[in-house]
């Protein structure tokens, strides 16, 4: 065995090597090279934005999202996700369930969800870096509970793109009745999937343009209907309590309708994901509540005038009630021209929501793959060329194709199951986090804020649970049961840590909206 070289000696100029033994090759360097620090391979390979930026002149591996979103920008993003024109899509369905008091159903749903929105505001202030019911449940109650809540919420995420596909199908069937509906589902699903496959970037400006266009068209619609009501059409008056209550209305029917329109409000809670991009986290509770209230006011006004214009849902064909009454409402109020304009507004809003929801769930599936909650090879894959989770995107697109065979009523019921689970556990999380973990239950004020208020939210949400479609309830419980079994297997009987799958975890640096210079993506 050759003798080892003597250790280097320290001189004033720094660390220098010991003299080279005689006979050593000339290639021995006169200084000791220091190897650069290397990082372990990333589980997603070299396709992440972090690795892509590693070769940039300025390293920004620790870059964070810039805080440039103001209060109303966040509210606008939430309204865009909610899709205000959905009030026309579900109008016939809700009118049929409530015996023609659609605004009453929206009013009840709004009152119920205000308490949940307040609970969201409390939790987003306490845990500002996350924005989901399952994150709140995981942190405040137990990781296992958070996992099951998140698993159940997957129903919402996976089916929202499918709802948008179904609504667009109904629009095109109304405009082109001779073309089979499945063709539109395939064409639009391929288009949306292709766009997100290539890039998941979007801008709040584009979202705002689509939102403003939709609201302007809805405003024109409201004015036209009021003029027609004054002229004797429909109920013959623009002022009446009939859209909220009449002799043939039962509160149980209104609750059933409120359970359906609960689906329309999905998105008010989604703005919590922008907590790291808000100018100040203090605006988030107000943003969540304002998104819900502003969206609720839009739904109330639109449904009120529409109910007066169409006092009886029997004026709509049954297929329109099952899928979307928006085109029928447009043609009966303003002929083919208004039908085309109103459909265009609904189309723009629905397409924006589809892009956002498809991108969001694809990203969530990627996080689950990265954390080994789902098979990493499939769901955790990021395409090195497009830098997007292409396999997850294609899987979501495949689920969207099921819009060929389902109706809006069926899908909305399953989405509401997931939403009600999330809303219920947000209220539970407030009690668990503040009253139990933080001990804020010793004064009347604390008890009111952290026990009574979320408790009311739980009770009111329970009223919607009671009226949930039985098929959706059974199917949803089966899905939740599968999640519990999967959790047991995943943790080897709870002997391993429970992996999280928060969609807000930084994976590709992409959120639903990334307005250019605001975030280096």
């Amino acid at each position: 065995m050759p003798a080892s070289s003597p250790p280097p000696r320290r001189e004033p100029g720094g660390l220098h090597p010991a003299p080279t033994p005689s006979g050593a090759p000339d290639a021995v360097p006169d200084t000791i090279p220091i190897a650069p620090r290397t990082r372990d391979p990333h589980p997603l390979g070299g396709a992440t934005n972090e690795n892509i930026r590693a070769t940039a002149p300025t390293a920004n591996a620790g870059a964070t999202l810039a805080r440039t979103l103001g209060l109303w920008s966040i509210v606008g993003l939430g309204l865009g996700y909610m899709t205000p024109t959905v009030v026309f899509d579900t109008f016939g369905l809700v009118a049929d369930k409530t015996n023609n008091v659609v605004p009453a159903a929206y009013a009840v749903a709004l009152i119920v969800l205000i308490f949940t929105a307040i609970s969201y505001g409390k939790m987003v202030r306490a845990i500002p870096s996350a924005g989901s019911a399952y994150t709140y449940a995981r942190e405040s109650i137990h990781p296992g509970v958070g996992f099951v809540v998140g698993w159940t919420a997957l129903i919402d995420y996976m089916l929202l793109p499918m709802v948008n596909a179904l609504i667009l199908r109904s629009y095109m069937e109304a405009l082109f009745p001779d073309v089979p509906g499945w063709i539109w589902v395939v064409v639009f699903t391929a288009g949306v999937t292709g766009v997100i496959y290539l890039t998941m970037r979007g801008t709040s400006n584009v979202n705002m343009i689509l939102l403003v266009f939709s609201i302007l068209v809805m405003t024109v619609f409201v004015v036209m209907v009021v003029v027609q009501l004054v002229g004797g059409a429909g109920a013959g008056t623009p002022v009446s309590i009939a859209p909220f209550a009449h002799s043939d209305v039962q509160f149980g029917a209104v609750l059933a309708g409120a359970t359906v329109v609960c689906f329309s409000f999905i998105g008010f809670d989604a703005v919590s994901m922008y907590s790291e991009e808000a100018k100040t986290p203090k605006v988030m509770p107000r943003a969540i509540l304002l998104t819900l209230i502003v969206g609720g006011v839009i739904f109330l006004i639109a449904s009120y005038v529409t109910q007066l214009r169409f006092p009886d849902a029997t004026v709509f064909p049954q297929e329109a009630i099952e899928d979307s009454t928006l085109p029928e409402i447009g043609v009966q109020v303003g002929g083919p021209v208004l039908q085309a304009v109103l459909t265009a507004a609904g189309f723009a809003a629905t397409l924006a929501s589809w892009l956002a929801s498809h991108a969001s769930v694809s990203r969530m599936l990627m996080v689950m793959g990265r954390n080994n909650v789902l098979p990493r090879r499939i769901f955790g894959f990021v395409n090195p060329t497009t830098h997007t989770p292409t396999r997850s995107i294609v899987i979501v697109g495949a689920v969207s194709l099921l819009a060929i065979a389902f109706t809006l009523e069926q899908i909305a019921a399953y989405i509401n199951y997931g939403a009600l689970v999330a809303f219920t556990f947000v209220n539970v999380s407030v009690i668990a986090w503040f009253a139990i973990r933080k001990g804020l239950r010793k004064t009347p004020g604390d008890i009111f804020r952290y026990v009574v208020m979320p408790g009311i939210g739980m009770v009111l949400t329970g009223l919607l649970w009671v009226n949930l479609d039985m098929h959706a309830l059974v199917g949803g419980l089966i899905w939740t049961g599968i999640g519990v079994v999967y959790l047991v297997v995943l943790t080897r009987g709870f002997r391993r840590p429970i992996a999280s799958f928060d969609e807000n975890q930084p994976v590709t640096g992409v959120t639903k909206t990334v307005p250019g210079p605001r975030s280096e993506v």
Side-chain angles (χ1 to χ4, degrees), residues 10 59 248 317 321 365 380 396 484 494 497 506:
R10 183 173 297 277
D248 297 326
I321 291 177
L365 292 174
V396 177
V484 173
F494 299 104

Side-chain angles (χ1 to χ4, degrees), residues 101-192:
V101 285
V102 177
Y106 275 104
V108 170
L110 180 60
I111 293 171
V112 170
L113 294 179
I114 279 177
F115 288 90
T116 298
I118 293 172
S119 291
Y120 265 106
K122 289 183 172 71
M123 293 307 301
V124 78
R125 186 185 289 116
I127 310 176
S129 62
S132 57
Y134 43 91
T135 301
Y136 302 150
R138 183 179 70 233
E139 298 296 328
S140 62
I141 305 173
H142 187 274
V145 175
F147 181 94
V148 174
V149 172
W151 178 271
T152 303
L154 273 176
I155 295 179
D156 285 9
Y157 286 95
M158 292 297 294
L159 295 185
L160 276 174
M162 182 176 163
V163 165
N164 292 313
L166 194 153
I167 291 175
L168 291 187
R169 183 198 79 187
S170 65
Y171 291 169
M172 302 310 292
E173 285 178 334
L175 294 176
F176 305 98
D178 296 330
V179 179
W182 67 266
I183 292 180
W184 300 116
V185 174
V186 172
V187 169
F188 288 126
T189 299
V192 169

Side-chain angles (χ1 to χ4, degrees), residues 15 68 117 219 223 276-277 317 351-352 376 418 438 470 482 484:
L15 190 65
T68 59
T219 303
V223 172
E276 294 183 66
E277 295 173 274
L351 186 60
R376 177 179 296 183
K438 300 298 182 182
M470 185 56 63
I482 293 172
V484 173

